[in-house]
Structure formats: C-alpha cells, structure tokens
Amino acid sequence: MDKPEILINKEKIADCVGRLAEQIREDYRSKDFLMIGILKGSFVFMADLIRALQIPMELDFIRLSSYGSGKESSGKIELVQELRTQVEGRHIVVIEDIVDTGISLNFLLGYLAKQNPASVRLCALLDKPSRRKMPVSIDYLGFTVPDKFIVGYGLDCNEQFRFLSDICIINEN
Ligand code: IMP
Ligand code: MG
C-alpha cells in the first residue's frame, strides 16, 4: 500500500474543530445534553471536540460495525457495543467520523428514535456524498471529501493509520 497522502492537514482540522465547537456551544450551552460517539473512528475527533467545546456534557459511546474488513461496507450493520446511558427525554448529539453510504447512521438514528429522545442532531467530521445510498441530514459538518478512501485522525483501513494527525487518502493500486 502506498504512503497515505495528506488531504486535510492538522492545522485545518484544528480550525474546523474550533468552528464546529463554536456552533455546538451556541446551541447547547444552556441544555443538558448527551454526546454519543460512534466507535471506533470518532474517538480522536470527539476528544478534540469536547476540549474545544468548553461546556459540560455527558458522554457515551456506541460501537457499530459495517466493514467486516477492507474498504467496502457490507451494508449489514451490527451493534457491537450498546449504550449504557438512558436516552429517553435527552438532547442527543451524535458524533461520527465519516458519512459514506449513510446506512450506519440510518440504523443508529432509528435505534435512538425508538428510545424517545427529546432531540437528536448529528455532527460529522467528514461527508463523502458521492456514495450515499440512504439520505442523512448532517447538522454540523466539518469537510466534504472526494470518493477516496480516507485514513488518519481516528479513521482506519484494516485497523491501520488511526494515529496519523492529518486526514489522508489511501491511493488504490
Ligand atoms: P456508512 O454506513 O457507509 O455511511 O459507513 C460509515 C462508516 O464506515 C464510518 O463511520 C466509517 O467508520 C466507515 N468508513 C466509510 N468510509 C470510510 C473511509 O473512507 N475511511 C475509513 N472509514 C470509512
Ligand atoms: Mg465510523
């Protein structure tokens, strides 16, 4: 596999995280809210986002799996780790690394809706709209990316490259 090529460098990521934090802070500063991070890909983004936010919130994580391995979504979503926090009546902000086909988020938003939250909004660092199969409305979006496989800043390819500080592209060969 070729060396990953930088698409969005760490300085641009930091600016973007600051901008998203400002928007979320404005909307949630006087609300009791629960942030739900989708593991594993969102953990680096979420760690930076909560420190940029500088307002109190409760956190929980959910783990979904759609990629058995490699780069193609299987289309079948598995709930690998459930939430422990009660969702009913709460304001929820879901944190996702990248929206690709939209299948995972449709599954998750359906799962949350069944638990009667007060509200649900979605914050996604990256959007890859070219491959969408199900519509997803993103309330807080970082960057739109081309139809390439993205790694770094928490995103992986076969569990590799999560540690990279920049958002990078893996070139097919
Ligand atoms: P979706 O259900 O196809 O929208 O897939 C969403 C999940 O697939 C994301 O949360 C990522 O974990 C993973 N994914 C989709 N595209 C990429 C990519 O380019 N790089 C790394 N992971 C990706
Ligand atoms: Mg993910």
Side-chain angles (χ1 to χ4, degrees), residues 38-42 64 66 95-98 104 155-156 162:
I38 307 180
L39 293 174
K40 302 179 201 172
S42 71
L64 302 178
S66 63
I95 309 295
E96 175 64 305
D97 53 356
I98 182 165
S104 309
L155 286 88
D156 76 308
R162 293 194 197 273

Side-chain angles (χ1 to χ4, degrees), residues 2-6 8 10 13 44 150-156 160-170:
D2 285 353
K3 194 170 172 278
E5 186 188 306
I6 296 179
I8 304 162
K10 52 179 183 286
I13 298 172
V44 175
I150 311 288
V151 295
Y153 199 65
L155 286 88
D156 76 308
Q160 287 189 70
F161 306 118
R162 293 194 197 273
F163 68 92
L164 297 174
S165 306
D166 306 295
I167 294 170
C168 300
I169 288 176
I170 295 267

